[in-house]
Amino acid sequence: MKECVGMLLAGGEGKRLGLLTNENAKPAVPFGGKYRIIDFTLSNCANSSIQTLGVLTQYSPINLNQHIGNGKAWDMDRRNGGVTMLSPATGKHGGDWYSGTADAIYQNIHFIDQYDPKYVLIISGDHIYQMNYQSVLAQHKATNADATISVIEVPWEDASRFGILNTTETLEIYEFEEKPANPQSNLASMGIYIFTWETLREFLIEDATDPDSSHDFGKDIIPAMLGQDKRLFAYLFTEYWKDVGTIQSYWEATMDLLDEDSGSPLSVAREDRSKQIYTNEANFPPQYIGGTGRVTNSFINTGCFIYGDVSNSVLFRNVLVKQHASIHQSILHPGVTIGENVVLERVIVMENTEVPDGVQVYATKHAEPLVLNQENIREHFSEMEGMN
Amino acid sequence: MDRMMGLINLDQEYHVFNELTYFRNNASIPFAGRYRLIDFALSNMTNSGMEEVAVFVRHKYRSLLDHLGSGESWDLDRRHGGLFILPPDWNDPSDRSRGDLSFFHNNRDYFNRGKANHVLVSGSQFIANTDYKEAFSQHLETDADVTVIYTPVDEIRPEHQAYFRIEEGEDARVIGITNDEQNPNVFTGVYIIKKDLLMEIVNYCIAYHKENLFADGIKDQLHELDVRAYKYDGYHAFINTIESFYRENMKLLTEENFINLFAKPFIRTKASSNPPVKYQAQALVNHSIIANGCIVNGQVENSILFRGVEVSDHSTIKNSIIMQRCKIEEDVYLENVILDKDVHVKKGQRIIGTSDKPYVVAKRQIV
């Protein structure tokens, strides 16, 4: 028996990330110089002793499957428990795609049941934050709750973009409003839930029989629980949390990493070993900074060769920046080659793209950063030198 | 099917590393930013397709065991074969073996059980990025008893003294294994031998109270055996002294050498979970090799920083090797210095060595 089983929803497409999720589920999008977005949630599990975890995949799961493997990087290569990848499957009575977050868990009730847990932690793999789920669980037990939902205070003017929880002073939830026009509270749901399994199990089975349900935790399960006077509490989280759902927020979250005072995970991990971020480690040589290289205020990963000027940027492994190139406020994914005299500002360059000599691409200060890959690079030329 | 197993024999390796081996075996000396010397021998073996590798180690092997672990980083965590660290002694009152023979004698079962019919023996001090497939093909084609791998060196240096020299005759036959200091064909310490023959030589050496398998059993029996030579002429280094350690690290700061040593196939090492290198606003780094986990806010020129080193602002590091997790405070000046792991250099310190005699600070010192 396991006290708490984690279920990580990693099936989302992340449409608003555009090209970044063309062939990659959102949780598998590279982030922070050597990680993928899901590493932050997986590391939270590792750092919170959640050692039994189901990862629910659906959209483009190959990279995720390869990345997570047997879970060794997060100490989840366990004989008893550990990590299990849960893709939709057929069985004796047919099968179906996961039609919503609640349906994904419903279809895996037997997986959870085999561990006979008292509690289930539901998380998703598309946020950047560091949370000890044991603290949430401790509150859940102390309040004798049926469900505990992590919330974060958002600016009032943004509250109508979130799922908002209205609570009493003791943080007991009495109402959930999805994107309210006139919010009564600024406590936004972070999509992190702890449920008492016995209760959730009943609600999932009931929800599955409802043809009008969208089978979603926020839209269906939580309102149903509130409707039956279950005990729901909010867990107030006050540390760094960022949804990287759009190109703009992906870029901002990356820039946060470079700001030592932002409270963003990499600087926290440096001070506190219990908050380290783990990933499936590649094995490449250290980076080489040439005589003409100049790097400031940046993160650079193994295998890079730098001969140009890099500032306020994040470079993944095996990136080559040639002489007289200038990279500013940009994100270069693994294996990118930057030619001579290239100038990039506020640009995200996707894996293995070769940016030819002399290309200059800028996104203006208030525009969304540009995403470059080998196909679209020509459209973005503003100036060319040494090109045919 | 003909196949090789690997054997890394660290017993009786000659070296003068002083401070660097106070707390560790010579094979686990850190090198080139994130490696240990043994990574090269080990990676070359696995890059040659070997699935069984044994290590003979007698002394100060805690850090080596930590580094090798289950062999996972080299794909040697296998259900069959994989990595074995073999002890030198056994509960055998009749054991008369001496020197490295005791490792062979006390692990006969291991050798007999393995699937390979040839053994590639290596030390840890010959540093190269190669695979031994071609040498193995030659070994099989010539049906040699032993194939020794040598490399011609441009300039004979003190670190070569510890190695035999190879005299090659027709058809790659070895006609002499000598201590001739003028001969630039330096034996790399790597040789391939038929496994059955290896065990016969072990018996012979023990019967005649010999202490060194290669010197007594192969070199001194050269005319009884069919020994051939294989020439390796790629990028390489021999590292067995502080001076050669320092010089060979510094050589890698030339891009061409760095690429020669680290191009594919990759040398593998134990993975760590360090974040990428953080360069801060005052960072000024040129001609340097920097490993993950470093935080740099000072000037670093012509130097190697291992994982997790911190360099504070207004500090300068020139021509130096700074090992894991060293902390350099503000206004420090280091030139021609080797700092072993976890050294903490306080604000305002100046430490200057010479390029021939770098200044070495042992592990965990506060200066």
Side-chain angles (χ1 to χ4, degrees):
Chain A
M1 185 200 143
K2 301 279 176 188
E3 185 187 36
C4 183
V5 168
M7 295 296 272
L8 199 170
L9 299 158
E13 178 178 347
K15 279 201 185 78
R16 292 173 302 155
L17 280 170
L19 287 176
L20 295 179
T21 50
N22 248 7
E23 293 170 346
N24 215 357
K26 179 176 168 187
V29 169
F31 182 80
K34 69 181 282 194
Y35 308 98
R36 294 183 188 268
I37 292 171
I38 198 173
D39 288 342
F40 293 82
T41 317
L42 289 170
S43 300
N44 286 340
C45 289
N47 292 330
S48 310
S49 310
I50 301 290
Q51 287 160 346
T52 305
L53 183 71
V55 179
L56 299 120
T57 59
Q58 178 153 288
Y59 175 78
S60 236
I62 296 172
N63 281 339
L64 270 181
N65 288 337
Q66 288 177 337
H67 179 70
I68 295 174
N70 67 356
K72 169 136 181 113
W74 303 272
D75 276 345
M76 287 188 197
D77 52 333
R78 300 294 168 124
R79 254 177 216 289
N80 181 5
V83 70
T84 307
M85 303 302 287
L86 302 168
S87 290
T90 54
K92 209 160 196 171
H93 307 290
D96 233 323
W97 297 106
Y98 297 149
S99 61
T101 50
D103 181 54
I105 305 298
Y106 170 77
Q107 291 200 35
N108 289 288
I109 281 180
H110 60 286
F111 168 80
I112 299 173
D113 277 346
Q114 67 182 328
Y115 297 108
D116 189 21
K118 191 136 197 316
Y119 308 103
V120 170
L121 167 75
I122 312 274
I123 45 184
S124 69
D126 43 13
H127 298 121
I128 305 298
Y129 68 108
Q130 287 159 302
M131 181 190 278
N132 191 325
Y133 302 127
Q134 292 296 344
S135 310
V136 191
L137 186 58
Q139 183 193 306
H140 183 83
K141 290 184 202 167
T143 55
N144 196 22
D146 293 299
T148 301
I149 306 175
S150 296
V151 295
I152 191 152
E153 284 188 81
V154 294
W156 279 95
E157 62 269 27
D158 295 340
S160 54
R161 287 173 30 219
F162 290 91
I164 294 294
L165 295 168
N166 299 326
T167 67
T168 66
E169 273 178 18
T170 57
L171 290 177
E172 181 159 7
I173 300 164
Y174 61 86
E175 193 180 14
F176 174 83
E177 292 185 286
E178 183 70 30
K179 298 181 182 156
N182 299 303
Q184 298 164 41
S185 146
N186 66 337
L187 298 179
S189 167
M190 299 164 68
I192 299 165
Y193 310 93
I194 286 186
F195 292 99
T196 301
W197 175 231
E198 198 183 344
T199 314
L200 176 64
R201 202 176 180 283
E202 288 167 16
F203 277 85
L204 287 176
I205 291 169
E206 195 176 318
D207 176 73
T209 60
D210 179 357
D212 299 327
S213 172
S214 54
H215 310 300
D216 183 85
F217 276 101
K219 292 195 191 94
D220 306 296
I221 301 292
I222 300 300
M225 282 189 162
L226 286 169
Q228 291 189 31
D229 292 331
K230 293 290 173 190
R231 285 173 70 79
L232 278 73
F233 281 80
Y235 173 88
L236 185 60
F237 185 68
T238 53
E239 289 161 47
Y240 183 89
W241 180 77
K242 190 97 182 174
D243 177 25
V244 282
T246 62
I247 301 281
Q248 179 68 26
S249 63
Y250 173 84
W251 182 84
E252 279 170 13
T254 304
M255 292 302 124
D256 284 348
L257 293 177
L258 296 171
D259 175 3
E260 306 270 322
D261 304 319
S262 66
S264 120
L266 293 184
S267 30
V268 174
R270 188 198 304 156
E271 302 300 325
D272 185 349
R273 301 284 287 180
S274 73
K275 291 186 171 171
Q276 272 205 60
I277 316 299
Y278 302 97
T279 186
N280 188 345
E281 295 285 338
N283 216 329
F284 291 100
Q287 58 198 260
Y288 180 82
I289 312 292
T292 54
R294 173 93 169 99
V295 187
T296 49
N297 205 24
S298 296
F299 272 110
I300 307 217
N301 197 14
T302 48
C304 289
F305 285 82
I306 312 294
Y307 302 94
D309 200 330
V310 178
S311 62
N312 297 80
S313 295
V314 173
L315 275 56
F316 286 73
R317 70 184 136 85
N318 298 344
V319 170
L320 166 61
V321 179
K322 293 187 183 169
Q323 280 193 34
H324 309 300
S326 174
I327 309 298
H328 186 58
Q329 295 197 326
S330 292
I331 302 165
L332 310 183
H333 284 181
V336 165
T337 301
I338 302 292
E340 292 181 14
N341 301 304
V342 166
V343 179
L344 300 181
E345 187 166 337
R346 283 171 59 86
V347 168
I348 299 163
V349 185
M350 290 179 64
E351 199 156 342
N352 297 328
T353 303
E354 284 183 36
V355 182
D357 292 354
V359 169
Q360 305 200 352
V361 183
Y362 310 84
T364 53
K365 200 172 170 193
H366 300 289
E368 187 171 82
L370 290 167
V371 180
L372 290 187
N373 63 15
Q374 204 66 62
E375 285 72 48
N376 74 6
I377 196 160
R378 286 169 181 276
E379 298 163 21
H380 290 295
F381 282 35
S382 56
E383 196 172 305
M384 292 183 291
E385 279 172 37
M387 289 282 300
N388 296 328
Chain B
M1 196 186 114
D2 291 308
R3 60 166 101 195
M4 285 190 289
M5 62 163 286
L7 169 60
I8 300 177
N9 185 355
L10 305 177
D11 201 35
Q12 301 172 336
E13 274 200 305
Y14 166 85
H15 59 82
V16 191
F17 282 121
N18 303 332
E19 291 90 341
L20 298 183
T21 47
Y22 283 176
F23 305 102
R24 58 169 84 87
N25 182 281
N26 62 305
S28 52
I29 289 178
F31 181 68
R34 63 190 294 264
Y35 302 94
R36 307 265 182 168
L37 294 184
I38 198 170
D39 292 340
F40 294 84
L42 204 48
S43 300
N44 290 341
M45 286 177 175
T46 52
N47 288 336
S48 309
M50 292 181 212
E51 295 174 356
E52 298 169 74
V53 175
V55 179
F56 288 173
V57 57
R58 198 187 291 270
H59 298 299
K60 291 192 264 194
Y61 46 76
R62 189 200 65 200
S63 85
L64 186 69
L65 293 185
D66 175 36
H67 181 70
L68 298 176
S70 63
E72 185 220 353
S73 298
W74 299 270
D75 283 337
L76 286 172
D77 53 334
R78 312 295 279 246
R79 216 166 263 292
H80 303 285
L83 181 71
F84 278 80
I85 295 160
L86 301 177
D89 41 26
W90 205 251
N91 186 20
D92 176 2
S94 68
D95 181 6
R96 289 183 293 123
S97 59
R98 299 187 194 176
D100 62 354
L101 275 315
S102 51
F103 282 97
F104 288 101
H105 173 68
N106 290 309
N107 295 288
R108 283 173 192 276
D109 287 353
Y110 172 78
F111 287 95
N112 293 336
R113 209 179 286 146
K115 288 175 290 189
N117 52 350
H118 297 267
V119 183
L120 181 136
V121 185
S122 169
S124 66
Q125 302 175 339
F126 174 67
I127 303 298
N129 182 0
T130 180
D131 69 52
Y132 297 117
K133 286 177 195 153
E134 214 178 290
F136 189 44
S137 302
Q138 183 196 304
H139 177 74
L140 294 176
E141 276 163 28
T142 57
D143 193 30
D145 290 328
V146 181
T147 300
V148 294
I149 300 178
Y150 73 91
T151 189
V153 299
D154 298 336
E155 185 187 347
I156 295 172
R157 292 179 177 278
E159 65 262 26
H160 300 133
Q161 271 175 16
Y163 293 89
F164 291 123
R165 308 304 157 86
I166 303 296
E167 285 171 28
E168 187 180 351
E170 277 179 31
D171 298 330
R173 274 179 209 282
V174 174
I175 52 175
I177 300 176
T178 68
N179 289 315
D180 174 8
E181 288 188 9
Q182 305 306 313
N183 181 349
N185 292 331
V186 178
F187 175 44
T188 61
V190 183
Y191 60 97
I192 303 169
I193 182 168
K194 290 175 176 166
K195 189 171 81 179
D196 295 343
L197 175 68
L198 173 70
M199 298 325 286
E200 279 174 37
I201 294 177
V202 168
N203 291 340
Y204 159 83
C205 286
I206 292 170
Y208 289 88
H209 305 287
K210 303 293 185 186
E211 295 186 357
N212 183 294
L213 179 102
F214 186 84
D216 301 322
I218 297 172
K219 178 180 76 77
D220 289 351
Q221 298 295 310
L222 183 61
H223 301 295
E224 309 292 320
L225 300 167
D226 182 355
V227 181
R228 309 276 177 140
Y230 176 86
K231 180 164 97 175
Y232 170 77
D233 53 11
Y235 187 84
H236 69 270
F238 288 89
I239 299 179
N240 52 23
T241 58
I242 296 264
E243 290 72 26
S244 54
F245 171 79
Y246 179 70
R247 182 163 17 83
E248 293 300 340
N249 269 294
M250 289 295 123
K251 258 173 83 176
L252 294 176
L253 296 171
T254 304
E255 185 199 351
E256 191 191 345
N257 295 334
F258 183 81
I259 290 173
N260 276 333
L261 189 58
F262 290 114
K264 276 180 184 172
F266 289 111
I267 301 298
R268 299 207 244 170
T269 188
K270 181 187 171 189
S272 75
S273 55
N274 282 301
V277 182
K278 175 69 192 290
Y279 294 88
Q280 293 175 324
Q282 311 289 320
L284 184 58
V285 181
N286 300 108
H287 260 299
S288 293
I289 294 170
I290 318 281
N292 269 359
C294 289
I295 303 165
V296 184
N297 201 20
Q299 192 179 345
V300 180
E301 198 183 315
N302 221 38
S303 295
I304 297 181
L305 306 188
F306 282 72
R307 295 190 270 211
V309 170
E310 281 183 45
V311 183
S312 303
D313 52 303
H314 300 101
S315 282
T316 300
I317 298 176
K318 273 172 90 168
N319 307 333
S320 294
I321 300 167
I322 314 294
M323 294 195 200
Q324 291 98 300
R325 291 189 303 276
C326 284
K327 194 175 158 75
I328 317 292
E329 290 190 7
E330 298 85 356
D331 301 312
V332 168
Y333 185 87
L334 305 178
E335 187 173 345
N336 301 322
V337 167
I338 300 173
L339 303 186
D340 203 335
K341 286 171 73 170
D342 296 306
V343 170
H344 184 156
V345 184
K346 294 281 203 184
K347 190 173 172 176
Q349 286 284 5
R350 290 172 66 82
I351 307 175
I352 302 175
T354 67
S355 55
D356 297 334
K357 275 256 174 275
Y359 189 93
V360 184
V361 181
K363 215 170 151 175
R364 283 193 297 275
Q365 303 292 308
I366 297 174
V367 288

